Amino acid sequence: MEQEKYKGCLLWGHVIAQQEELLEPERYAASGTITRDNKLIEASGVLGLFDTEQEAQEVGLAWARAWVDAHL
C-alpha cells in the first residue's frame, strides 16, 4: 500500500495479490482510497488486474487523484 498527499487529502493505492490457479503467475488487483482529516471520503472497487505491485499501486493512486480533481 502506498500513500500520497494531494490537495489536502491522503490518497492510498492498494494492492491485492490474485492467483486463480496454483501454476499461474501471481497478478495484482488495484484499488484506491481517499481520506481527509482521518475520515473516509471515497473508495474504489477493483480497478483491474496488473502484472506488478507497483503498477497496481500507481493505478490506485491515479484513480484517487482523478476522483479528487473531479469532485473536490
Side-chain angles (χ1 to χ4, degrees):
M1 180 169 31
E2 196 171 306
Q3 71 177 8
E4 165 184 315
K5 288 184 180 180
Y6 185 74
K7 295 186 177 181
C9 295
L10 192 56
L11 313 181
W12 302 85
H14 303 282
V15 177
I16 305 112
Q18 304 287 305
Q19 188 172 18
E20 294 196 18
E21 298 289 330
L22 186 59
L23 298 177
E24 287 185 13
E26 194 166 55
R27 299 199 63 201
Y28 303 91
S31 67
T33 302
I34 304 157
T35 62
R36 183 167 41 186
D37 300 325
N38 295 319
K39 294 184 174 105
L40 176 66
I41 302 296
E42 188 65 57
S44 74
V46 173
L47 300 169
L49 292 176
F50 302 90
D51 292 328
T52 67
E53 290 181 63
Q54 184 65 34
E55 191 177 15
Q57 286 177 344
E58 289 171 4
V59 168
L61 289 170
W63 172 87
R65 284 190 296 273
W67 192 96
V68 168
D69 288 344
H71 295 92
L72 298 178

PDB file of all heavy atoms in Angstrom, residues 2-5 11 14 16 22 25-26 28 39 49-50 52-53 62-66 72:
ATOM      1  N   GLU A   2       0.574   2.150  -0.856  1.00  0.00           N
ATOM      2  CA  GLU A   2       1.350   3.368  -0.988  1.00  0.00           C
ATOM      3  C   GLU A   2       0.421   4.557  -0.754  1.00  0.00           C
ATOM      4  O   GLU A   2      -0.736   4.529  -1.160  1.00  0.00           O
ATOM      5  CB  GLU A   2       1.938   3.419  -2.405  1.00  0.00           C
ATOM      6  CG  GLU A   2       3.042   4.404  -2.588  1.00  0.00           C
ATOM      7  CD  GLU A   2       3.716   4.225  -3.944  1.00  0.00           C
ATOM      8  OE1 GLU A   2       4.153   3.110  -4.255  1.00  0.00           O
ATOM      9  OE2 GLU A   2       3.770   5.215  -4.673  1.00  0.00           O
ATOM     10  N   GLN A   3       0.934   5.591  -0.084  1.00  0.00           N
ATOM     11  CA  GLN A   3       0.107   6.761   0.167  1.00  0.00           C
ATOM     12  C   GLN A   3       0.737   8.011  -0.423  1.00  0.00           C
ATOM     13  O   GLN A   3       1.939   8.058  -0.668  1.00  0.00           O
ATOM     14  CB  GLN A   3      -0.142   6.948   1.656  1.00  0.00           C
ATOM     15  CG  GLN A   3       1.072   7.400   2.425  1.00  0.00           C
ATOM     16  CD  GLN A   3       0.761   7.649   3.880  1.00  0.00           C
ATOM     17  OE1 GLN A   3      -0.311   7.361   4.365  1.00  0.00           O
ATOM     18  NE2 GLN A   3       1.722   8.176   4.602  1.00  0.00           N
ATOM     19  N   GLU A   4      -0.103   9.028  -0.613  1.00  0.00           N
ATOM     20  CA  GLU A   4       0.352  10.285  -1.193  1.00  0.00           C
ATOM     21  C   GLU A   4      -0.577  11.401  -0.708  1.00  0.00           C
ATOM     22  O   GLU A   4      -1.789  11.216  -0.629  1.00  0.00           O
ATOM     23  CB  GLU A   4       0.277  10.143  -2.716  1.00  0.00           C
ATOM     24  CG  GLU A   4       0.355  11.387  -3.509  1.00  0.00           C
ATOM     25  CD  GLU A   4       0.159  11.099  -4.998  1.00  0.00           C
ATOM     26  OE1 GLU A   4       0.766  10.140  -5.516  1.00  0.00           O
ATOM     27  OE2 GLU A   4      -0.613  11.827  -5.626  1.00  0.00           O
ATOM     28  N   LYS A   5      -0.005  12.555  -0.379  1.00  0.00           N
ATOM     29  CA  LYS A   5      -0.814  13.725  -0.043  1.00  0.00           C
ATOM     30  C   LYS A   5      -1.127  14.470  -1.333  1.00  0.00           C
ATOM     31  O   LYS A   5      -0.254  14.656  -2.185  1.00  0.00           O
ATOM     32  CB  LYS A   5      -0.064  14.646   0.913  1.00  0.00           C
ATOM     33  CG  LYS A   5       0.046  14.089   2.302  1.00  0.00           C
ATOM     34  CD  LYS A   5       0.698  15.069   3.244  1.00  0.00           C
ATOM     35  CE  LYS A   5       0.771  14.443   4.626  1.00  0.00           C
ATOM     36  NZ  LYS A   5       1.391  15.355   5.590  1.00  0.00           N
ATOM     37  N   LEU A  11      -4.215  10.043  -0.109  1.00  0.00           N
ATOM     38  CA  LEU A  11      -4.625   9.043  -1.095  1.00  0.00           C
ATOM     39  C   LEU A  11      -3.863   7.751  -0.840  1.00  0.00           C
ATOM     40  O   LEU A  11      -2.690   7.769  -0.496  1.00  0.00           O
ATOM     41  CB  LEU A  11      -4.320   9.535  -2.513  1.00  0.00           C
ATOM     42  CG  LEU A  11      -4.736  10.960  -2.865  1.00  0.00           C
ATOM     43  CD1 LEU A  11      -4.372  11.253  -4.308  1.00  0.00           C
ATOM     44  CD2 LEU A  11      -6.198  11.186  -2.605  1.00  0.00           C
ATOM     45  N   HIS A  14      -3.970   0.675  -3.183  1.00  0.00           N
ATOM     46  CA  HIS A  14      -3.964  -0.659  -2.570  1.00  0.00           C
ATOM     47  C   HIS A  14      -3.634  -1.738  -3.609  1.00  0.00           C
ATOM     48  O   HIS A  14      -4.013  -1.620  -4.770  1.00  0.00           O
ATOM     49  CB  HIS A  14      -5.343  -0.991  -1.981  1.00  0.00           C
ATOM     50  CG  HIS A  14      -5.803   0.006  -0.982  1.00  0.00           C
ATOM     51  ND1 HIS A  14      -5.344   0.038   0.306  1.00  0.00           N
ATOM     52  CD2 HIS A  14      -6.672   1.032  -1.098  1.00  0.00           C
ATOM     53  CE1 HIS A  14      -5.928   1.028   0.954  1.00  0.00           C
ATOM     54  NE2 HIS A  14      -6.739   1.650   0.125  1.00  0.00           N
ATOM     55  N   ILE A  16      -3.839  -6.004  -4.054  1.00  0.00           N
ATOM     56  CA  ILE A  16      -4.341  -7.271  -3.537  1.00  0.00           C
ATOM     57  C   ILE A  16      -3.819  -8.381  -4.442  1.00  0.00           C
ATOM     58  O   ILE A  16      -4.118  -8.393  -5.640  1.00  0.00           O
ATOM     59  CB  ILE A  16      -5.888  -7.298  -3.515  1.00  0.00           C
ATOM     60  CG1 ILE A  16      -6.436  -6.108  -2.717  1.00  0.00           C
ATOM     61  CG2 ILE A  16      -6.399  -8.609  -2.927  1.00  0.00           C
ATOM     62  CD1 ILE A  16      -7.153  -5.111  -3.540  1.00  0.00           C
ATOM     63  N   LEU A  22      -2.829 -22.520  -9.116  1.00  0.00           N
ATOM     64  CA  LEU A  22      -1.548 -22.679  -8.444  1.00  0.00           C
ATOM     65  C   LEU A  22      -0.365 -22.463  -9.389  1.00  0.00           C
ATOM     66  O   LEU A  22       0.636 -21.873  -9.002  1.00  0.00           O
ATOM     67  CB  LEU A  22      -1.470 -24.077  -7.812  1.00  0.00           C
ATOM     68  CG  LEU A  22      -0.256 -24.343  -6.948  1.00  0.00           C
ATOM     69  CD1 LEU A  22      -0.184 -23.347  -5.800  1.00  0.00           C
ATOM     70  CD2 LEU A  22      -0.301 -25.751  -6.401  1.00  0.00           C
ATOM     71  N   PRO A  25       1.004 -17.408 -12.895  1.00  0.00           N
ATOM     72  CA  PRO A  25       1.760 -16.355 -12.204  1.00  0.00           C
ATOM     73  C   PRO A  25       0.831 -15.465 -11.382  1.00  0.00           C
ATOM     74  O   PRO A  25      -0.333 -15.279 -11.730  1.00  0.00           O
ATOM     75  CB  PRO A  25       2.400 -15.562 -13.351  1.00  0.00           C
ATOM     76  CG  PRO A  25       1.604 -15.892 -14.562  1.00  0.00           C
ATOM     77  CD  PRO A  25       1.011 -17.259 -14.336  1.00  0.00           C
ATOM     78  N   GLU A  26       1.354 -14.947 -10.287  1.00  0.00           N
ATOM     79  CA  GLU A  26       0.568 -14.062  -9.432  1.00  0.00           C
ATOM     80  C   GLU A  26       0.341 -12.730 -10.134  1.00  0.00           C
ATOM     81  O   GLU A  26       1.229 -12.209 -10.796  1.00  0.00           O
ATOM     82  CB  GLU A  26       1.309 -13.839  -8.111  1.00  0.00           C
ATOM     83  CG  GLU A  26       0.462 -13.232  -7.046  1.00  0.00           C
ATOM     84  CD  GLU A  26       1.113 -13.336  -5.687  1.00  0.00           C
ATOM     85  OE1 GLU A  26       2.263 -12.869  -5.541  1.00  0.00           O
ATOM     86  OE2 GLU A  26       0.474 -13.881  -4.789  1.00  0.00           O
ATOM     87  N   TYR A  28      -1.923  -8.788  -9.595  1.00  0.00           N
ATOM     88  CA  TYR A  28      -2.276  -7.886  -8.508  1.00  0.00           C
ATOM     89  C   TYR A  28      -3.473  -7.025  -8.887  1.00  0.00           C
ATOM     90  O   TYR A  28      -3.467  -6.380  -9.923  1.00  0.00           O
ATOM     91  CB  TYR A  28      -1.078  -6.995  -8.161  1.00  0.00           C
ATOM     92  CG  TYR A  28       0.134  -7.814  -7.806  1.00  0.00           C
ATOM     93  CD1 TYR A  28       1.055  -8.181  -8.783  1.00  0.00           C
ATOM     94  CD2 TYR A  28       0.324  -8.268  -6.512  1.00  0.00           C
ATOM     95  CE1 TYR A  28       2.151  -8.965  -8.462  1.00  0.00           C
ATOM     96  CE2 TYR A  28       1.420  -9.057  -6.182  1.00  0.00           C
ATOM     97  CZ  TYR A  28       2.323  -9.398  -7.165  1.00  0.00           C
ATOM     98  OH  TYR A  28       3.400 -10.183  -6.854  1.00  0.00           O
ATOM     99  N   LYS A  39     -10.968  10.856   7.887  1.00  0.00           N
ATOM    100  CA  LYS A  39     -12.305  10.377   7.527  1.00  0.00           C
ATOM    101  C   LYS A  39     -12.286   9.866   6.089  1.00  0.00           C
ATOM    102  O   LYS A  39     -11.675  10.473   5.209  1.00  0.00           O
ATOM    103  CB  LYS A  39     -13.331  11.496   7.664  1.00  0.00           C
ATOM    104  CG  LYS A  39     -13.527  11.936   9.093  1.00  0.00           C
ATOM    105  CD  LYS A  39     -14.613  12.966   9.198  1.00  0.00           C
ATOM    106  CE  LYS A  39     -14.881  13.274  10.639  1.00  0.00           C
ATOM    107  NZ  LYS A  39     -14.364  14.516  11.094  1.00  0.00           N
ATOM    108  N   LEU A  49      -6.602  -5.861 -12.993  1.00  0.00           N
ATOM    109  CA  LEU A  49      -5.517  -6.760 -12.603  1.00  0.00           C
ATOM    110  C   LEU A  49      -4.251  -6.360 -13.342  1.00  0.00           C
ATOM    111  O   LEU A  49      -4.291  -6.051 -14.542  1.00  0.00           O
ATOM    112  CB  LEU A  49      -5.861  -8.203 -12.940  1.00  0.00           C
ATOM    113  CG  LEU A  49      -6.998  -8.824 -12.135  1.00  0.00           C
ATOM    114  CD1 LEU A  49      -7.303 -10.224 -12.649  1.00  0.00           C
ATOM    115  CD2 LEU A  49      -6.648  -8.871 -10.658  1.00  0.00           C
ATOM    116  N   PHE A  50      -3.116  -6.412 -12.628  1.00  0.00           N
ATOM    117  CA  PHE A  50      -1.849  -5.952 -13.178  1.00  0.00           C
ATOM    118  C   PHE A  50      -0.746  -6.948 -12.875  1.00  0.00           C
ATOM    119  O   PHE A  50      -0.851  -7.741 -11.946  1.00  0.00           O
ATOM    120  CB  PHE A  50      -1.516  -4.568 -12.607  1.00  0.00           C
ATOM    121  CG  PHE A  50      -2.607  -3.576 -12.911  1.00  0.00           C
ATOM    122  CD1 PHE A  50      -3.664  -3.403 -12.035  1.00  0.00           C
ATOM    123  CD2 PHE A  50      -2.616  -2.893 -14.103  1.00  0.00           C
ATOM    124  CE1 PHE A  50      -4.697  -2.538 -12.329  1.00  0.00           C
ATOM    125  CE2 PHE A  50      -3.642  -2.024 -14.410  1.00  0.00           C
ATOM    126  CZ  PHE A  50      -4.686  -1.833 -13.519  1.00  0.00           C
ATOM    127  N   THR A  52       2.421  -6.268 -11.923  1.00  0.00           N
ATOM    128  CA  THR A  52       3.332  -5.917 -10.832  1.00  0.00           C
ATOM    129  C   THR A  52       2.589  -5.156  -9.736  1.00  0.00           C
ATOM    130  O   THR A  52       1.584  -4.494  -9.992  1.00  0.00           O
ATOM    131  CB  THR A  52       4.500  -5.036 -11.319  1.00  0.00           C
ATOM    132  OG1 THR A  52       3.990  -3.760 -11.715  1.00  0.00           O
ATOM    133  CG2 THR A  52       5.246  -5.690 -12.480  1.00  0.00           C
ATOM    134  N   GLU A  53       3.132  -5.248  -8.524  1.00  0.00           N
ATOM    135  CA  GLU A  53       2.566  -4.499  -7.403  1.00  0.00           C
ATOM    136  C   GLU A  53       2.660  -3.004  -7.659  1.00  0.00           C
ATOM    137  O   GLU A  53       1.724  -2.260  -7.366  1.00  0.00           O
ATOM    138  CB  GLU A  53       3.305  -4.839  -6.112  1.00  0.00           C
ATOM    139  CG  GLU A  53       3.059  -6.240  -5.609  1.00  0.00           C
ATOM    140  CD  GLU A  53       3.787  -6.510  -4.312  1.00  0.00           C
ATOM    141  OE1 GLU A  53       3.478  -5.824  -3.307  1.00  0.00           O
ATOM    142  OE2 GLU A  53       4.659  -7.380  -4.304  1.00  0.00           O
ATOM    143  N   ALA A  62      -3.624   6.936  -9.160  1.00  0.00           N
ATOM    144  CA  ALA A  62      -4.114   7.730 -10.291  1.00  0.00           C
ATOM    145  C   ALA A  62      -5.636   7.876 -10.228  1.00  0.00           C
ATOM    146  O   ALA A  62      -6.179   8.958 -10.482  1.00  0.00           O
ATOM    147  CB  ALA A  62      -3.686   7.101 -11.612  1.00  0.00           C
ATOM    148  N   TRP A  63      -6.327   6.792  -9.885  1.00  0.00           N
ATOM    149  CA  TRP A  63      -7.780   6.864  -9.746  1.00  0.00           C
ATOM    150  C   TRP A  63      -8.150   7.871  -8.653  1.00  0.00           C
ATOM    151  O   TRP A  63      -9.050   8.696  -8.830  1.00  0.00           O
ATOM    152  CB  TRP A  63      -8.353   5.483  -9.382  1.00  0.00           C
ATOM    153  CG  TRP A  63      -9.800   5.569  -9.038  1.00  0.00           C
ATOM    154  CD1 TRP A  63     -10.854   5.514  -9.895  1.00  0.00           C
ATOM    155  CD2 TRP A  63     -10.355   5.800  -7.735  1.00  0.00           C
ATOM    156  NE1 TRP A  63     -12.038   5.689  -9.206  1.00  0.00           N
ATOM    157  CE2 TRP A  63     -11.752   5.878  -7.882  1.00  0.00           C
ATOM    158  CE3 TRP A  63      -9.813   5.960  -6.463  1.00  0.00           C
ATOM    159  CZ2 TRP A  63     -12.602   6.089  -6.803  1.00  0.00           C
ATOM    160  CZ3 TRP A  63     -10.659   6.175  -5.392  1.00  0.00           C
ATOM    161  CH2 TRP A  63     -12.046   6.238  -5.571  1.00  0.00           C
ATOM    162  N   ALA A  64      -7.451   7.813  -7.520  1.00  0.00           N
ATOM    163  CA  ALA A  64      -7.751   8.709  -6.402  1.00  0.00           C
ATOM    164  C   ALA A  64      -7.506  10.168  -6.780  1.00  0.00           C
ATOM    165  O   ALA A  64      -8.325  11.042  -6.463  1.00  0.00           O
ATOM    166  CB  ALA A  64      -6.921   8.314  -5.183  1.00  0.00           C
ATOM    167  N   ARG A  65      -6.404  10.465  -7.472  1.00  0.00           N
ATOM    168  CA  ARG A  65      -6.141  11.844  -7.913  1.00  0.00           C
ATOM    169  C   ARG A  65      -7.239  12.329  -8.847  1.00  0.00           C
ATOM    170  O   ARG A  65      -7.721  13.463  -8.734  1.00  0.00           O
ATOM    171  CB  ARG A  65      -4.775  11.940  -8.596  1.00  0.00           C
ATOM    172  CG  ARG A  65      -3.612  11.925  -7.636  1.00  0.00           C
ATOM    173  CD  ARG A  65      -2.300  12.274  -8.321  1.00  0.00           C
ATOM    174  NE  ARG A  65      -1.912  11.305  -9.333  1.00  0.00           N
ATOM    175  CZ  ARG A  65      -1.222  10.204  -9.096  1.00  0.00           C
ATOM    176  NH1 ARG A  65      -0.814   9.920  -7.876  1.00  0.00           N
ATOM    177  NH2 ARG A  65      -0.918   9.393 -10.085  1.00  0.00           N
ATOM    178  N   ALA A  66      -7.641  11.476  -9.773  1.00  0.00           N
ATOM    179  CA  ALA A  66      -8.700  11.856 -10.735  1.00  0.00           C
ATOM    180  C   ALA A  66     -10.016  12.098 -10.008  1.00  0.00           C
ATOM    181  O   ALA A  66     -10.742  13.046 -10.344  1.00  0.00           O
ATOM    182  CB  ALA A  66      -8.858  10.762 -11.793  1.00  0.00           C
ATOM    183  N   LEU A  72     -13.689  17.476  -5.754  1.00  0.00           N
ATOM    184  CA  LEU A  72     -13.385  18.389  -4.642  1.00  0.00           C
ATOM    185  C   LEU A  72     -12.820  19.698  -5.149  1.00  0.00           C
ATOM    186  O   LEU A  72     -12.321  19.842  -6.182  1.00  0.00           O
ATOM    187  CB  LEU A  72     -12.395  17.733  -3.670  1.00  0.00           C
ATOM    188  CG  LEU A  72     -12.880  16.462  -2.991  1.00  0.00           C
ATOM    189  CD1 LEU A  72     -11.798  15.898  -2.093  1.00  0.00           C
ATOM    190  CD2 LEU A  72     -14.132  16.722  -2.165  1.00  0.00           C
TER     191      LEU A  72
END
